[in-house]
Amino acid sequence: MNTFSIETNETSPSHGNHFRTIDYFRASFLTIVTLSSFLGDSTILVASIKYKVFSLNKVIVTVIQHLAVCDILSSCVFILNLVEMLYGSNREDLTLCRAKFYLLSFSFSASFLITALLTTTKLLIVKYPLRAVSLTKTKASLVCGSVWLSSLIPPCFMFTMYHLNFIHPAYVPPITGGEVKYCVTLVYQSWKFCLPVIMIFSLLPSLVILVTSAWLICEAVKVVRQKGDRLRREGLMAVIATAVVHSLCTLPLAFYYYAFEKAFEKASENSDFSLMKLAYMATYDTVGFSFMANFYIYSITLTSFRKFIQQRVDRLKKTVCCSTADVEEVIRYSYRSIDRSISSKQRQSGVPGMI
């Protein structure tokens, strides 16, 4: 197996400290994104499944739930990347590196397809409301299930290409330094073998998202001008915002892979990976905003979800206040008990005390 051993030219102390600072900042960012995604998307799932908070079409709610699961799964990639970035990985054992990128290709493919399904479904419901009555939650779950199954094709493709030596790992030093390096990416030896997969699971869904989102924006403008139903307006805004944020967050990474893939080999030959490392980190980490953005999008655009969050926050405040009051009462009771005990001992010993 051929590998690219990419150096960052950290022989200069100032240069090494510069990248070390960037890596620590990136580790903090990955931690924040992961925690925000887990908390936010878990809240979306609980609010939609248990409390039925979303006042949207049940088909749209089902797709939103699958998108939340996809975001949580994508955040797991950040956890693996964080562990590998901090401690490095064994260059003889690429299990963690391969698992990271298999999971990445699976979750990203599912994210593109589910987002495209979300915008397309919303557009069909808006354009054909009478026919949308026949859409059920069961049908939506079956379609989403087929999306998950089809998203297994890219990791299977990567698995095949890896064992055929068409994919090579590229390494950079971890934050903790030392000779052990971690796999920053997998480099395709030739793009002609992966163009069909890229077209089906990346370019085509992106095109669908752009077209349907533009169409939905036109419909949203009509609803606003006609002063339409508030729930309909909120649903349109939520779906449009989700699609726009997803597109903006994934576009830099797509451009990076398409434009700079061959530069990995050139950077390896020149032992100059500084610019490539910065470009990869910036574009890869930008995708993390889409993992945690949906919680904030729904909080802003959906009144029912915002009220649910406010109720939970108020309940949490009351619980904390009650707990604090109970602790203070216990402390006061303890002090009174101590004072009574001291006064009793003083009376028994005949020593005057402060009673």
Side-chain angles (χ1 to χ4, degrees):
M1 172 65 65
N2 297 324
T3 60
F4 290 145
S5 178
I6 301 178
E7 305 293 339
T8 57
N9 192 20
E10 294 187 356
T11 55
S12 171
S14 61
H15 191 78
N17 293 333
H18 173 68
F19 274 104
R20 188 66 53 82
T21 302
I22 293 176
D23 283 339
Y24 276 116
F25 176 79
R26 187 182 177 218
S28 302
F29 174 76
L30 294 180
T31 303
I32 294 173
V33 169
T34 303
L35 292 177
S36 299
S37 177
F38 272 103
L39 293 175
D41 292 311
S42 299
T43 303
I44 292 173
L45 292 174
V46 172
S48 60
I49 296 175
K50 183 177 180 180
Y51 296 100
K52 312 293 182 182
V53 169
F54 290 99
S55 301
L56 301 173
N57 186 284
K58 52 189 174 183
V59 176
I60 297 297
V61 175
T62 302
V63 179
I64 287 176
Q65 292 169 357
H66 283 268
L67 187 59
V69 174
C70 183
D71 289 339
I72 293 176
L73 187 62
S74 300
S75 299
C76 295
V77 180
F78 273 29
I79 296 177
L80 296 177
N81 192 68
L82 181 62
V83 172
E84 204 171 31
M85 184 174 62
L86 289 172
Y87 302 106
S89 60
N90 188 353
R91 300 188 63 168
E92 302 298 329
D93 184 11
L94 297 175
T95 302
L96 182 59
C97 177
R98 290 163 57 189
K100 179 177 65 177
F101 285 97
Y102 293 158
L103 183 60
L104 182 69
S105 61
F106 173 68
S107 60
F108 273 27
S109 300
S111 178
F112 275 101
L113 294 175
I114 293 176
T115 305
L117 178 63
L118 177 65
T119 55
T120 304
T121 304
K122 185 61 179 178
L123 181 61
L124 292 176
I125 292 174
V126 172
K127 298 296 293 184
Y128 308 102
L130 296 179
R131 295 184 180 180
V133 177
S134 61
L135 297 177
T136 61
K137 185 177 179 180
T138 303
K139 292 181 180 179
S141 299
L142 290 176
V143 174
C144 291
S146 63
V147 168
W148 285 108
L149 289 177
S150 60
S151 299
L152 291 172
I153 296 177
C156 293
F157 172 80
M158 291 185 65
F159 178 83
T160 304
M161 291 294 100
Y162 181 84
H163 285 279
L164 292 177
N165 291 339
F166 284 108
I167 297 179
H168 308 300
Y171 293 90
V172 296
I175 288 179
T176 53
E179 298 181 356
V180 179
K181 301 181 179 182
Y182 74 94
C183 179
V184 66
T185 188
L186 295 179
V187 184
Y188 286 97
Q189 186 175 356
S190 176
W191 274 100
K192 65 181 181 181
F193 296 102
C194 57
L195 279 178
V197 176
I198 294 174
M199 288 289 294
I200 295 174
F201 293 95
S202 179
L203 294 182
L204 288 180
S206 298
L207 183 61
V208 171
I209 293 171
L210 290 175
V211 173
T212 53
S213 297
W215 205 333
L216 285 173
I217 291 174
C218 296
E219 295 295 328
V221 172
K222 293 180 182 179
V223 171
V224 172
R225 287 178 178 178
Q226 298 172 359
K227 298 182 179 179
D229 183 37
R230 178 182 60 83
L231 296 179
R232 185 186 180 189
R233 184 172 61 252
E234 289 182 354
L236 283 170
M237 296 305 298
V239 173
I240 292 172
T242 302
V244 170
V245 170
H246 179 272
S247 300
L248 291 177
C249 291
T250 55
L251 186 61
L253 184 63
F255 177 77
Y256 172 82
Y257 273 117
Y258 298 154
F260 295 106
E261 179 68 20
K262 290 300 181 181
F264 271 106
E265 186 173 358
K266 184 178 180 180
S268 177
E269 294 173 354
N270 298 334
S271 297
D272 182 15
F273 191 58
S274 302
L275 181 61
M276 294 300 299
K277 182 182 179 183
L278 288 174
Y280 178 80
M281 288 190 298
T283 55
Y284 178 79
D285 295 345
T286 301
V287 182
F289 287 106
S290 65
F291 301 160
M292 62 179 184
N294 289 342
F295 172 81
Y296 302 101
I297 290 174
Y298 303 149
S299 299
I300 295 173
T301 57
L302 301 178
T303 304
S304 58
F305 186 68
R306 184 166 59 251
K307 289 181 179 179
F308 170 79
I309 298 300
Q310 185 63 44
Q311 291 173 358
R312 298 296 155 177
V313 171
D314 293 340
R315 182 177 298 181
L316 180 61
K317 288 181 180 179
K318 291 180 181 180
T319 303
V320 172
C321 292
C322 291
S323 300
T324 305
D326 292 339
V327 172
E328 292 177 353
E329 182 64 27
V330 170
I331 294 174
R332 285 196 296 267
Y333 179 79
S334 300
Y335 276 119
R336 287 197 297 268
S337 300
I338 293 173
D339 290 339
R340 286 195 297 267
S341 177
I342 293 175
S343 300
S344 177
K345 290 181 180 180
Q346 288 175 345
R347 285 195 297 268
Q348 292 176 2
S349 60
V351 179
M354 297 179 63
I355 302 177

